Amino acid sequence: MTDSTGETEYRVVADGVEKAFGDNRVLKGVSFTVQRGTATAIIGPSGSGKTTLLRTLNALDRADAGVIRVDDVEIDFATPTTKSEVRRFQSRSGFVFQGHNLFPHKTVLQNIIEGPVIVQKRPKEEAIADAVTLLDQVGLADKRDQYPYQLSGGQQQRVGIARALALKPKLVLFDEPTSALDPELVGEVLSVIKELAVEGWTMVIVTHEIQFARQVSNQVLFTDGGVILEQGPPDEVLGNPKEARTRQFLERVLNPL
């Protein structure tokens, strides 16, 4: 399906995605879509397949079966694929990890331009100009020449976001971006992601921050046992869930005592 500009309405289409690690079936025929310019939050208990699902969207974990399309690149994971096909698929998205994953021996600026220059072969001057703009956007313009160890956890995560955006991806993937942070640092990272949502970046966010998911997302997927049990607008899934398991999960998360 395309819109009036001729662009594909859906940025992501996943159909029947399967993934197992040994005898453990982590994803059991997962299907969903993500519209261009929207944010999708994936919530669910530990071990429900949230992170694995996210990683299949960038082929960091290669699905065993199912079809995934990101922007204009589609892969049927039940059939053999070449390395170049996988690289093209991966180039459509940027990934923000739980633990920052910054190069400790490189400065903030060097971390951000690594992908554009080394992987995308873009001119270094262009990559630096983009990086400076992104650092200003995430509130770290004065940290460009510092090293990761000189930054707080929240600042490191904001660098990680800038690094992902520097690739100019069609899709930005966030794997529990605040889970490794002290509580007092969570807000600064969530505020950056909220700004990205307002700007119309297409995002899929695995998160345990339920109120954040309600505020930032256009769609919520609730996963459990390797399947999507419920999906829809946040007001429905989080405010008036249809499934008993969703209600049970939300009650435990929102009222832990």
Side-chain angles (χ1 to χ4, degrees):
M1 185 180 295
T2 58
D3 63 13
S4 59
T5 67
E7 290 196 54
T8 303
E9 179 181 358
Y10 294 114
R11 186 67 83 200
V12 178
V13 178
D15 185 15
V17 178
E18 301 268 349
K19 179 62 182 178
F21 295 100
D23 295 330
N24 181 22
R25 286 184 67 205
V26 180
L27 300 178
K28 305 171 183 177
V30 173
S31 300
F32 68 99
T33 59
V34 176
Q35 287 190 303
R36 180 163 48 87
T38 65
T40 293
I42 304 177
I43 65 171
S46 298
S48 64
K50 304 185 300 295
T51 290
T52 299
L53 175 57
L54 192 76
R55 290 172 65 89
T56 63
L57 300 181
N58 187 253
L60 288 169
D61 285 336
R62 180 190 166 93
D64 299 323
V67 177
I68 302 177
R69 176 165 60 79
V70 177
D71 196 43
D72 59 338
V73 182
E74 180 176 288
I75 291 184
D76 182 345
F77 285 94
T79 63
T81 54
T82 65
K83 289 183 178 180
S84 63
E85 288 174 327
V86 173
R87 282 197 297 268
R88 185 165 178 259
F89 177 79
Q90 292 176 322
S91 72
R92 295 306 187 264
S93 57
F95 205 99
V96 179
F97 298 88
Q98 287 185 41
H100 323 311
N101 284 25
L102 301 177
F103 295 111
H105 61 289
K106 293 181 180 291
T107 65
V108 165
L109 184 68
Q110 290 169 338
N111 265 280
I112 295 173
I113 69 172
E114 175 86 3
V117 173
I118 303 301
V119 178
Q120 296 180 333
K121 309 300 182 185
R122 285 163 50 196
K124 186 174 181 179
E125 295 75 14
E126 175 189 314
I128 290 174
D130 287 346
V132 169
T133 299
L134 288 168
L135 282 171
D136 184 58
Q137 183 177 352
V138 300
L140 295 174
D142 59 337
K143 306 294 184 183
R144 56 176 285 175
D145 296 320
Q146 294 194 358
Y147 289 85
Y149 77 88
Q150 297 175 296
L151 307 177
S152 70
Q155 290 171 334
Q156 289 184 48
Q157 192 62 297
R158 283 186 279 157
V159 174
I161 294 172
R163 180 181 58 182
L165 298 181
L167 297 170
K168 300 185 176 181
K170 300 296 185 179
L171 171 68
V172 189
L173 305 169
F174 295 85
D175 183 15
E176 299 205 31
T178 62
S179 66
L181 301 180
D182 292 334
E184 63 187 32
L185 302 177
V186 168
E188 65 186 63
V189 174
L190 296 185
S191 66
V192 169
I193 300 173
K194 288 178 183 178
E195 290 174 11
L196 299 180
V198 171
E199 292 173 8
W201 288 85
T202 307
M203 301 184 290
V204 178
I205 309 161
V206 170
T207 183
H208 60 278
E209 302 278 351
I210 301 302
Q211 295 304 331
F212 168 71
R214 186 192 297 271
Q215 294 168 10
V216 79
S217 67
N218 305 94
Q219 172 181 231
V220 174
L221 311 180
F222 173 67
T223 63
D224 193 23
V227 300
I228 297 174
L229 285 184
E230 191 161 357
Q231 58 184 302
D235 286 346
E236 292 182 11
V237 176
L238 302 177
N240 188 28
K242 298 181 177 68
E243 299 293 328
R245 180 67 183 98
T246 314
R247 292 194 295 271
Q248 179 190 53
F249 170 78
L250 290 172
E251 184 174 334
R252 288 179 175 175
V253 171
L254 297 174
N255 303 289
L257 298 180

